[in-house]
């Protein structure tokens, strides 16, 4: 038995179970009731046995609901704990970490303040969109990466001369790390997103040396699928063999999944920061290591 109690929010129950097992900690669930007016009512199903408490909950859609529930659970946990560690495997709003257009609110900063105000002692996130997001937390904060876990999965597949591809410059370090583990090369595409419409374009001409190779597009997240679809359409024109996708957070519903496959992707693999049928890579061991 370790010194921790793990409390799971309803969005991360399976991951919480795995994490508690890895840590040898006892697990407490929270019960959720949504009132007819949309309010969330949270009840902790028991009392934490230890005073070091880990609250785990991803804030994927419905983002605002999951967020308010996370903050509520933390505030309750604080009544029992000397230390409350928030593990937010997928941190919603992390892409709103800068003022891209004049007047835009940096919502990530607002959320960082909320975590502190409810009593969070430390926060751990997984492959946050950019490290800029973490700088708004005035508490101990760290990012753990799922790239080694994802790369290990791909190293077991039979791939033809694999090449790792980042759809944009923001993902270069992730692609580089992934390629290093697979002992292969990586390239970076140039992506442009219209800040008003959200539409994505790949700005690149012919790329030499990818014909006949299996490609692995590596990204932190898939939301609308626009980035992966545009990158795949571009890469397919370059006569590559198959296109695989490795991403930490797969936010999409079935429709996005279908559209990505239709664009020519053979397989999408994501982690269990967000549950779903592509979430084949378990990240609980990596989170546990970051906690102890
Ligand atoms: C953007 O810079 C991110 O790394 C992802 O590429 C992006 O957020 C994915 O979103 P979507 O699937 O909507 O293109």
């Amino acid at each position: 038995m370790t010194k921790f109690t793990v409390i799971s929010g309803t969005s991360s129950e399976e991951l919480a179970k795995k994490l508690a097992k890895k840590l040898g900690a006892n697990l407490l669930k929270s019960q959720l009731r949504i009132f007819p007016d949309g309010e969330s009512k949270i009840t902790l199903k028991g009392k934490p046995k230890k005073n070091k408490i880990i609250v785990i909950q991803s804030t994927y859609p419905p983002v605002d609901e999951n967020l308010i529930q996370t903050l509520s659970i933390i505030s309750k946990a604080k009544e029992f704990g000397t230390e409350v560690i928030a593990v937010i495997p997928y941190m919603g709003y992390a892409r709103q970490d800068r003022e891209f257009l004049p007047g835009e609110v940096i919502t990530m900063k607002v959320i960082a303040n909320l975590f502190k105000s409810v009593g969070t002692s430390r926060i751990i996130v997984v492959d946050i969109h950019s490290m800029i997001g973490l700088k708004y937390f005035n508490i101990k904060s760290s990012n753990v990466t799922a790239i080694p876990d994802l790369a290990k999965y791909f190293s077991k597949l039979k791939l033809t001369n694999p090449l790792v591809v980042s759809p944009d410059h923001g993902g270069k370090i992730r692609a580089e790390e992934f390629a290093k583990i697979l002992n292969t090369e990586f390239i970076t595409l140039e992506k442009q997103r219209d800040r008003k419409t959200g539409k994505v374009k790949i700005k690149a001409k012919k790329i030499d040396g990818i014909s006949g190779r299996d490609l692995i597009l590596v990204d932190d997240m898939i939301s609308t699928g626009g980035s992966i679809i545009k990158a795949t359409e571009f890469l397919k024109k370059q006569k590559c063999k198959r296109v695989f996708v490795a991403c930490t957070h797969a936010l999409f519903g079935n429709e996005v999944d279908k559209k990505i496959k239709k664009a020519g992707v053979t397989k999408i693999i994501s982690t269990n920061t967000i549950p779903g049928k592509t979430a084949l890579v378990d990240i609980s061991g990596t989170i546990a290591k970051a906690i102890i």
Side-chain angles (χ1 to χ4, degrees):
M1 269 286 169
T2 49
K3 50 195 176 196
F4 299 107
T5 290
V6 174
I7 301 179
S8 75
T10 52
S11 78
S12 294
E13 282 184 350
E14 281 308 306
L15 185 53
K17 217 190 279 173
K18 289 193 164 84
L19 180 66
K21 201 166 170 206
K22 296 253 159 56
L23 292 170
N26 66 303
L27 176 68
L28 261 192
K29 285 191 179 177
S30 45
Q31 190 186 51
L32 170 67
R33 214 175 124 203
I34 304 278
F35 285 151
D37 63 0
E39 287 177 4
S40 301
K41 171 89 181 162
I42 310 269
T43 310
L44 285 196
K45 299 308 285 170
K47 233 175 156 186
K49 289 199 181 122
K50 308 281 171 178
N51 63 7
K52 288 198 175 201
I53 298 170
I54 296 161
V55 173
I56 175 163
Q57 162 108 319
S58 276
T59 55
Y60 56 81
V63 181
D64 295 344
E65 265 181 32
N66 280 329
L67 179 64
I68 196 76
Q69 290 162 19
T70 312
L71 296 167
S72 305
I73 297 169
I74 293 170
S75 75
K76 190 70 190 164
K78 189 69 189 160
E79 292 175 18
F80 305 99
T82 50
E83 189 185 351
V84 179
I85 303 172
V87 176
I88 315 298
Y90 170 70
M91 173 62 90
Y93 282 105
R95 289 181 292 178
Q96 296 193 39
D97 59 2
R98 289 155 254 199
E99 191 175 338
F100 292 104
L101 297 175
E104 283 180 353
V105 175
I106 303 174
T107 311
M108 195 58 247
K109 190 172 170 181
V110 178
I111 289 168
N113 288 331
L114 289 173
F115 272 97
K116 187 176 179 195
S117 71
V118 291
T120 312
S121 326
R122 181 182 165 200
I123 186 153
I124 297 173
V125 294
V126 181
D127 283 331
I128 190 162
H129 174 65
S130 149
M131 294 305 279
I132 293 173
L134 280 194
K135 80 171 193 207
Y136 301 118
F137 288 89
N138 289 318
I139 49 174
K140 198 172 163 202
S141 63
S142 49
N143 178 65
V144 302
T145 178
I147 292 298
D149 294 301
L150 283 164
K152 234 175 271 158
Y153 182 97
F154 276 83
S155 66
K156 291 186 191 124
L157 302 182
K158 283 199 175 72
L159 301 175
T160 308
N161 196 8
L163 174 69
V164 177
V165 185
S166 170
D168 52 40
H169 289 291
K172 183 175 174 235
I173 293 172
R174 279 189 287 267
E176 191 171 8
E177 189 184 353
F178 197 103
K180 210 168 164 192
I181 298 168
L182 254 57
N183 199 17
T184 189
E185 306 100 55
F186 76 97
I187 57 167
T188 303
L189 303 180
E190 200 169 323
K191 182 177 94 180
Q192 250 182 6
R193 190 186 287 273
D194 185 312
R195 290 271 158 225
K196 290 205 173 106
T197 63
K199 285 226 165 85
V200 166
K201 257 202 288 197
I202 297 294
K203 253 189 73 190
K205 296 202 180 86
K206 189 172 162 20
I207 301 177
D208 292 326
I210 66 172
S211 146
R213 295 182 78 169
D214 279 335
L215 307 184
I216 308 166
L217 272 167
V218 175
D219 212 344
D220 58 330
M221 62 184 285
I222 298 174
S223 175
T224 63
S227 306
I228 291 297
I229 289 169
K230 290 292 171 197
T232 304
E233 286 169 353
F234 169 77
L235 294 165
K236 282 280 176 182
K237 282 189 200 138
Q238 315 286 311
K239 306 269 178 274
C240 65
K241 199 177 168 198
R242 295 172 296 177
V243 177
F244 293 83
V245 173
C247 79
T248 306
H249 317 290
L251 275 178
F252 52 73
N254 265 340
E255 286 313 304
V256 171
D257 187 2
K258 274 189 210 146
K259 277 191 219 157
I260 292 176
K261 295 261 174 68
K262 203 169 156 213
V265 169
T266 302
K267 195 168 181 165
I268 308 163
I269 302 296
S270 63
T271 77
N272 56 351
T273 58
I274 298 175
K277 64 176 194 284
T278 62
L280 301 179
V281 173
D282 174 31
I283 186 77
S284 62
T286 301
I287 295 174
K289 271 188 221 142
I291 291 170
I292 18 181

